[in-house]
Amino acid sequence: MGDVYRWRLAPDGLATRRQLRALGLRPGGQDVVAELHRPRRRKPPLVAYLYRVDRAKPVRPMTPARTAALAAAMLARRTCPTCRTDAGYCIPRSLGMCVTCHDNPAA
């Protein structure tokens, strides 16, 4: 690990994973170069890892197989295990079923 910078004081040329993604890049196997610490009251600081932008690689394009796998995973998150229908939204993990089945347990 390298240097530690305070919040908003990192030098140009370094970026977090989210910042790289917004630029259409990914870390590409490079090691963490530095850390960014955001102080908080009475808690340990939030830590973000920084990567060099000049060593980042382009994001891999979505293939038809990856698109199909993502669609299947999202369908599984939307399907209620009780009534087996597509709820149209991701089933809350706290409920474990769609809101309709949760509100009407006898139906």
Side-chain angles (χ1 to χ4, degrees):
M1 199 89 46
D3 300 327
V4 176
Y5 298 102
R6 287 186 54 95
W7 186 249
R8 298 182 188 229
L9 296 178
D12 292 337
L14 300 180
T16 64
R17 280 182 179 270
R18 285 189 179 191
Q19 291 169 335
L20 287 176
R21 188 62 179 208
L23 296 171
L25 301 171
R26 61 186 169 96
Q30 65 175 303
D31 292 330
V32 174
V33 177
E35 288 183 0
L36 188 68
H37 286 205
R38 181 178 181 195
R40 300 187 295 174
R41 294 182 189 205
R42 293 180 233 136
K43 291 183 181 180
L46 293 174
V47 178
Y49 300 111
L50 298 172
Y51 301 91
R52 289 183 48 175
V53 176
D54 60 344
R55 288 189 184 169
K57 295 181 180 176
V59 174
R60 293 185 187 113
M62 285 292 280
T63 63
R66 287 176 68 190
T67 303
L70 182 59
M74 291 307 294
L75 178 63
R77 289 185 65 192
R78 291 191 316 262
T79 303
C80 176
T82 306
C83 63
R84 300 278 183 209
T85 59
D86 185 351
Y89 55 88
C90 289
I91 304 296
R93 289 177 35 191
S94 60
L95 300 180
M97 60 184 73
C98 67
V99 176
T100 307
C101 290
H102 182 263
D103 290 345
N104 303 319

